[in-house]
Amino acid sequence: AAAAAGKEPMPIAGAHVRVTGGALVTTAPDGSFTLPDVGPGPVPLTVSARGYKAAGEIVSVPPETETEVAFTVVKTTAQQLATIRGQVRSAKGGKGVPATLRIPEAQVSTRAGADGRFSVRVPGGRYTVVFSASGFVAQTKTVDVADGDQALFYVDLSPSER
């Protein structure tokens, strides 16, 4: 297994090479591996390594010989989380409200600061954000964010009537 790094691939130690439905081996420090007793004929192989996208290939193994195969794997990119941020204020006077924010789809429940400011990081997607605070009418917003995006909310909560 080798990683594509510029023009020259670098060997990857500790990658897992598996015959589909069969044997599993781990690559040596130089990236090499040997799968004994496979073939003859087409042999489906997959390779996986931490931090790399899995790759697969079908290798044709002639009878009573060895076959060399080289895999090139590509690093996975770290997911950039989206940010939902803003401020919760009172509709009367505009003062910050330390409201509770719930985002059920992301299983997030957090509290805005004393000034009503909040910031939450989530994977890209569509979310329902519920803003609630004692003495105020709850408010629900829906937001679509992509990985790495930012959504900004200024939410004015109305005092509840007693």
Side-chain angles (χ1 to χ4, degrees):
K7 300 233 186 246
E8 281 298 309
M10 298 174 5
I12 300 175
H16 297 291
V17 180
R18 178 183 295 277
V19 176
T20 304
L24 170 71
V25 296
T26 302
T27 58
D30 67 356
S32 67
F33 62 92
T34 302
L35 282 164
D37 304 321
V38 293
V43 178
L45 299 177
T46 57
V47 63
S48 60
R50 181 181 295 260
Y52 295 88
K53 292 181 183 177
E57 190 170 321
I58 297 177
V59 179
S60 181
V61 178
E64 299 180 28
T65 61
E66 290 185 1
T67 300
E68 284 192 27
V69 61
F71 283 98
T72 301
V73 291
V74 179
K75 280 194 173 204
T76 56
T77 55
Q79 182 182 33
Q80 293 187 351
L81 296 176
T83 303
I84 300 173
R85 67 183 185 94
Q87 186 177 24
V88 182
R89 305 176 294 203
S90 171
K92 283 196 172 181
K95 184 178 176 189
V97 176
T100 299
L101 284 76
R102 282 188 314 103
I103 306 174
E105 298 87 349
Q107 297 177 347
V108 169
S109 182
T110 189
R111 191 165 192 79
D115 61 358
R117 295 188 187 279
F118 63 90
S119 182
V120 179
R121 296 181 50 91
V122 293
R126 174 177 277 240
Y127 296 100
T128 303
V129 186
V130 180
F131 300 90
S132 60
S134 180
F136 292 88
V137 177
Q139 200 173 123
T140 302
K141 302 275 187 186
T142 301
V143 62
D144 288 301
V145 287
D147 290 341
D149 276 2
Q150 197 169 142
L152 186 59
F153 282 108
Y154 288 97
V155 179
D156 292 328
L157 294 181
S158 298
S160 58
E161 295 183 23
R162 298 186 181 212

